[in-house]
Amino acid sequence: MIRIRDKMSTLALAAAAAAFTGAAGAAGSIKAAYVEQVIPSHTYFGHMTVVNATNSIGPGTGILGIGSITLTNFDASPQQVFIFVPSYSGDGCGAGGSTIIGGTTPMMTFYVQPNSTLHLPFPMPLVINPSAGNTCIGAEVTTLLHGGSVTMDVDGVVN
């Protein structure tokens, strides 16, 4: 016996069920199928300090959807921060002594005022796909004035 579920996607199955249950049941069935397949099940929060070096954070695997980035400048001088997807010489996100040897898109540069915080919300998540098997985001202070003490907080979801 062939099971119908083996031959149909969850969304198609929900639409078929909706045809039998009427309009009221249609919205609920389709919504349930959509939520099951689209909403990620893991939230992500990462924090790093960037002082006179390039640093990186990330879940390591999966696709990272960044909802917001918060940059805090603890220095008395403005700091320019370069954010990018890093490439590593070994295992990623700083694990196992790997070194950042390059980067890829998305790449962004922000200027953070002295002793202040810059919050960057992304209404549509900023998607970070795995690069060479690693899902990470890197940052570097490129205006090393007075030490360039900047922290970066990343909030998002992982699929």
Side-chain angles (χ1 to χ4, degrees):
M1 178 175 191
I2 297 175
R3 291 178 32 191
I4 293 174
R5 178 129 173 112
D6 293 338
K7 299 291 182 185
M8 298 178 71
S9 73
T10 305
L11 192 55
L13 193 57
F20 293 111
T21 61
S29 297
I30 292 173
K31 181 179 177 185
Y34 180 76
V35 169
E36 179 182 312
Q37 291 187 349
V38 177
I39 294 179
S41 58
H42 300 95
T43 58
Y44 175 77
F45 173 78
H47 173 83
M48 72 175 167
T49 300
V50 185
V51 181
N52 296 331
T54 304
N55 203 351
S56 65
I57 55 174
T61 60
I63 297 172
L64 176 61
I66 297 175
S68 70
I69 296 175
T70 303
L71 300 168
T72 303
N73 179 6
F74 293 99
D75 201 283
S77 299
Q79 300 295 323
Q80 182 173 308
V81 181
F82 177 61
I83 298 173
F84 60 101
V85 175
S87 298
Y88 298 95
S89 62
D91 291 334
C93 294
S98 63
T99 303
I100 296 173
I101 57 172
T104 185
T105 58
M107 296 179 178
M108 304 164 271
T109 301
F110 298 100
Y111 204 63
V112 187
Q113 295 302 312
N115 299 312
S116 64
T117 298
L118 176 63
H119 182 69
L120 307 164
F122 297 98
M124 292 273 306
L126 175 65
V127 177
I128 306 295
N129 289 305
S131 176
N134 298 305
T135 304
C136 307
I137 186 164
E140 176 182 14
V141 174
T142 56
T143 53
L144 299 175
L145 304 171
H146 305 117
S149 179
V150 174
T151 62
M152 183 168 102
D153 295 311
V154 176
D155 290 303
V157 293
V158 179
N159 254 346

